[in-house]
Amino acid sequence: MAAEIKLNGLSRKLVIDGLLDEETAINALTASVKEKVSFTNYLVSNKILSATKIAMEASKEFGLPVFDLDAIDPESIPRDIVDDKLIHKHHALPLYKRGNRLYIGLSDPMNLAAIDNIKFQTGINTEAVLVEEDKLSKMVEKLLEEQEEAMDDMMGDDEDLDDLDFADPDAEKKTDDADSGVDDTPVVRFVNKILLDAIKKGASDIHFEPYEKTYRVRLRIDGVLREVARPPVAMSPKLSARIKVMSRMDTAEKRVPQDGRIKLKISKTKAIDFRVNTCPTLFGEKIVLRILDPSSASLGIDALGYEPEQKELYLNALANPYGMILVTGPTGSGKTVSLYTGLNILNTVDTNISTAEDPAEINLEGINQVNVNEKVGLTFDAALRAFLRQDPDIIMVGEIRDLQTAEIAIKAAQTGHMVMSTLHTNDAPLTLARLVNMGVPPFNIASAVSLIIAQRLARRLCSHCKEKVDIPRIALEEEGLTIAQIDAKPELYKAIGCDQCSDGYKGRVGIYQVMPISDEIGRIIMENGSAIDVADQAKKDGVDTLRQSAIKKVIAGLTSLEEINRVTKD
């Protein structure tokens, strides 16, 4: 073995200058290869030569000055550029970046493998800076330890992290392969902890966000984003890789957005799905996970927060053999849950239900669900055309986005089918105007649409800490309460905050405007009336606006005036 090792570069210089005899140098080279450490690291750690002497000899041999690592601020090190595995493997430390050139600290400038690998991984021209081995070892060790400790501190001692069961064992195997390295376990445990915490806290979304000098993780809890962790910015690529492999995405592709899905088994009978999307930003990939709980569709209509008369209108529309029910509202307002609650009521053995979604968020047995895929031509309108050849009773379209989809959906509603869908509009009257603007003939809208539900989600006051609040009569009038409501002297509450809630709120309650298409509203549509005309007629028909519905929730003590001002306007 010793005969195969040849002296070159720094090892030859040390022998020529008499600091090492040839046999010692060859033995050191052989041992360093066997132990997978650098030649200089072996010499210093085994006290064969001092780091200072080695650095001086290297400086003479290669004509490079020795850079003193004591003079560099550890906080200024560009930690997020080079992967920790390469830092550990090559004993190389990124020092600073100038333009498109990265300077790395090495105790042996002839470590070409380190330079080439880092250049390949970063895509940046890389140059070696000569440093002393002992100082380099301490800084590399400190850097890696700090990152691991930061991850461990954020994870705590949650024993559940090791028991998480992901439904796709192949994905777990791929993840282990992709993330194998010095700090594989902390990254895996950290991601697991975030997923588990999000479920425990009732979050709807998880945001992993990289910035130039920081990295943060936020949860959307009860409709409001809250920061929950700040992992080291250098962990950004590893966190992205971990989540992308779990979601069965292409880990090498970082230039375009990707979509994926994770299924986490909570118990033998319950699993939580995560819909995952990546988006390339200036400083890495932002990843957002939408938490999809299939059990939300089985809560029942009583749990959604409809007023008694609104609930009756919805159930009556569902009982019709044909017609169109539209649910409208911004993203995250609970439209899908409202639709699936209705589908769950209609989901019987003698009913054929098909849905086209992008993507299907809630899996429900007994319903034929299709994910649209525009890349292969499976659009909403293509799926609808296929459904109409499949002997349907009820059709649900995830969203009406264009005239083609709207026309087919309305035709289905006019020919004996129940059709349910969503639109992105602010309230029920505007939904009709939106369909007209799409190009749908008014007489088709009037004859097909039977009910429109506009909705919002407001945070529910915590029952443990909410406090009564006295509000002047004039202020209540300005908020939109009627004289009768004010004269009834309702008990109003404000948010306080305790260990049972988040800022005084826990959970959410739905706020709805449920507008049936009456004969009068149908006439206004046929006469090309405006959304204002429809709203005036809906008021005459006794339909509450979103604001009026929200005020009823305040009077019932379910939420606060501050909260309804956040989600509705007068």
Side-chain angles (χ1 to χ4, degrees):
M1 178 72 180
E4 298 176 4
I5 298 293
K6 294 182 180 180
L7 299 178
N8 55 45
L10 182 58
S11 60
R12 183 176 59 189
K13 175 66 174 175
L14 293 173
V15 171
I16 292 173
D17 286 358
L19 295 176
L20 288 179
D21 59 66
E22 187 173 349
E23 182 180 358
T24 302
I26 290 175
N27 289 339
L29 280 170
T30 304
S32 67
V33 172
K34 185 177 180 181
E35 296 179 17
K36 296 182 179 179
V37 297
S38 69
F39 174 60
T40 53
N41 180 267
Y42 182 85
L43 293 176
V44 174
S45 60
N46 286 277
K47 299 181 179 179
I48 298 172
L49 276 179
S50 70
T52 303
K53 286 184 178 180
I54 295 173
M56 290 174 63
E57 290 297 307
S59 179
K60 294 176 187 176
E61 174 69 8
F62 304 113
L64 296 173
V66 180
F67 182 86
D68 186 4
L69 285 178
D70 290 338
I72 193 170
D73 180 7
E75 295 298 321
S76 68
I77 292 175
R79 305 183 181 192
D80 57 330
I81 295 180
V82 182
D83 191 278
D84 292 348
K85 287 183 283 189
L86 290 181
I87 294 175
H88 180 267
K89 178 181 178 181
H90 295 297
H91 210 59
L93 184 70
L95 297 176
Y96 50 90
K97 183 174 177 284
R98 297 288 183 270
N100 193 36
R101 194 168 295 276
L102 176 66
Y103 295 87
I104 59 171
L106 291 169
S107 57
D108 182 358
M110 287 299 291
N111 188 350
L112 300 181
I115 297 172
D116 291 343
N117 284 357
I118 291 175
K119 181 179 179 180
F120 178 78
Q121 188 248 344
T122 62
I124 302 173
N125 291 325
T126 304
E127 288 191 14
V129 174
L130 178 60
V131 297
E132 295 164 272
E133 171 60 34
D134 54 348
K135 294 179 181 179
L136 175 65
S137 294
K138 288 179 182 178
M139 191 162 282
V140 167
E141 185 178 351
K142 184 180 180 182
L143 176 71
L144 298 178
E145 280 183 357
E146 282 178 354
Q147 293 181 357
E148 187 163 338
E149 286 171 3
M151 300 294 278
D152 287 338
D153 289 342
M154 285 184 285
M155 288 184 294
D157 299 320
D158 200 330
E159 296 179 358
D160 294 337
L161 298 180
D162 296 323
D163 299 326
L164 294 185
D165 182 12
F166 292 90
D168 184 359
D170 293 334
E172 280 297 282
K173 182 179 185 300
K174 293 174 189 173
T175 302
D176 293 340
D177 293 342
D179 285 346
S180 59
V182 61
D183 54 358
D184 169 54
T185 301
V187 172
V188 172
R189 285 175 57 83
F190 176 73
V191 173
N192 288 354
K193 176 177 172 57
I194 293 297
L195 300 186
L196 195 62
D197 284 352
I199 295 169
K200 289 179 178 178
K201 293 177 180 178
S204 61
D205 301 87
I206 309 172
H207 293 239
F208 290 85
E209 301 171 313
Y211 298 98
E212 184 176 11
K213 296 181 180 179
T214 59
Y215 191 100
R216 71 178 177 182
V217 181
R218 294 191 291 174
L219 303 182
R220 188 176 292 280
I221 301 172
D222 295 336
V224 178
L225 280 170
R226 303 178 186 281
E227 184 177 305
V228 294
R230 277 190 175 264
V233 68
M235 305 308 297
S236 175
K238 294 181 75 69
L239 291 170
S240 296
R242 166 66 181 172
I243 297 169
K244 287 168 73 175
V245 176
M246 292 168 70
S247 312
R248 284 159 283 176
M249 298 181 188
D250 182 356
T251 55
E253 180 56 78
K254 302 177 182 179
R255 301 164 298 176
V256 296
Q258 294 188 65
D259 291 298
R261 206 175 183 100
I262 300 172
K263 182 181 285 292
L264 174 59
K265 290 185 178 179
I266 303 299
S267 64
K268 291 183 179 179
T269 58
K270 184 175 182 180
I272 299 291
D273 285 340
F274 297 84
R275 190 183 74 201
V276 188
N277 176 266
T278 68
C279 183
T281 67
L282 285 177
F283 305 104
E285 291 177 284
K286 172 169 179 173
I287 302 179
V288 177
L289 292 79
R290 166 66 58 89
I291 302 174
L292 310 171
D293 186 357
S295 63
S296 60
S298 58
L299 292 174
I301 194 169
D302 293 326
L304 299 185
Y306 286 95
E307 298 295 332
E309 63 275 12
Q310 294 175 336
K311 171 185 169 183
E312 184 178 355
L313 288 171
Y314 190 16
L315 292 176
N316 288 342
L318 290 171
N320 290 334
Y322 57 87
M324 178 181 284
I325 297 175
L326 294 173
V327 181
T328 181
T331 301
S333 60
K335 299 188 297 295
T336 301
V337 172
S338 284
L339 284 177
Y340 266 92
T341 299
L343 289 177
N344 207 28
I345 293 171
L346 299 172
N347 187 15
T348 58
V349 174
D350 58 354
T351 305
N352 178 21
I353 303 176
S354 296
T355 73
E357 300 167 81
D358 184 22
E361 295 187 356
I362 298 172
N363 297 328
L364 205 57
E365 188 173 349
I367 294 178
N368 309 291
Q369 297 171 281
V370 173
N371 277 333
V372 301
N373 186 347
E374 295 189 1
K375 291 181 180 178
V376 298
L378 182 55
T379 58
F380 279 117
D381 59 304
L384 275 174
R385 293 179 195 277
F387 292 164
L388 291 174
R389 300 187 188 99
Q390 295 251 319
D391 184 29
D393 295 305
I394 299 161
I395 295 172
M396 195 272 270
V397 187
E399 182 182 352
I400 294 178
R401 297 177 180 173
D402 51 49
L403 178 59
Q404 290 79 11
T405 305
E407 286 180 334
I408 300 170
I410 284 176
K411 181 181 177 182
Q414 291 173 327
T415 54
H417 306 93
M418 167 63 70
V419 179
M420 304 173 73
S421 188
T422 70
L423 275 173
H424 285 283
T425 56
N426 288 330
D427 62 14
L430 283 171
T431 303
L432 296 172
R434 171 78 175 126
L435 289 173
V436 172
N437 290 338
M438 278 185 180
V440 180
F443 64 85
N444 280 342
I445 299 173
S447 62
V449 180
S450 58
L451 185 75
I452 300 175
I453 300 173
Q455 68 180 76
R456 301 290 188 275
L457 288 177
R459 290 180 293 173
R460 187 187 293 265
L461 282 167
C462 174
S463 59
H464 293 90
C465 66
K466 66 180 182 180
E467 283 187 2
K468 291 182 183 178
V469 59
D470 290 325
I471 300 176
R473 184 183 184 92
I474 189 170
L476 293 178
E477 290 178 0
E478 291 174 354
E479 292 289 358
L481 275 73
T482 64
I483 300 300
Q485 289 173 329
I486 297 172
D487 289 342
K489 296 181 179 180
E491 292 185 349
L492 307 183
Y493 296 87
K494 65 178 180 180
I496 299 298
C498 66
D499 58 1
Q500 301 288 321
C501 64
S502 297
D503 298 332
Y505 298 96
K506 187 174 184 179
R508 289 192 283 181
V509 62
I511 296 172
Y512 303 93
Q513 179 185 27
V514 181
M515 187 181 80
I517 307 304
S518 63
D519 292 340
E520 291 77 9
I521 290 177
R523 178 180 53 79
I524 292 171
I525 298 169
M526 295 283 286
E527 294 174 354
N528 291 315
S530 68
I532 295 175
D533 296 329
V534 173
D536 289 341
Q537 182 59 50
K539 184 177 180 180
K540 293 177 184 176
D541 293 343
V543 175
D544 285 338
T545 64
L546 280 167
R547 181 69 179 186
Q548 290 168 339
S549 293
I551 288 172
K552 288 183 178 180
K553 297 294 188 294
V554 173
I555 292 173
L558 297 175
T559 189
S560 66
L561 280 172
E562 292 81 5
E563 179 62 9
I564 68 164
N565 286 336
R566 186 180 70 86
V567 298
T568 67
K569 63 179 181 178
D570 198 1

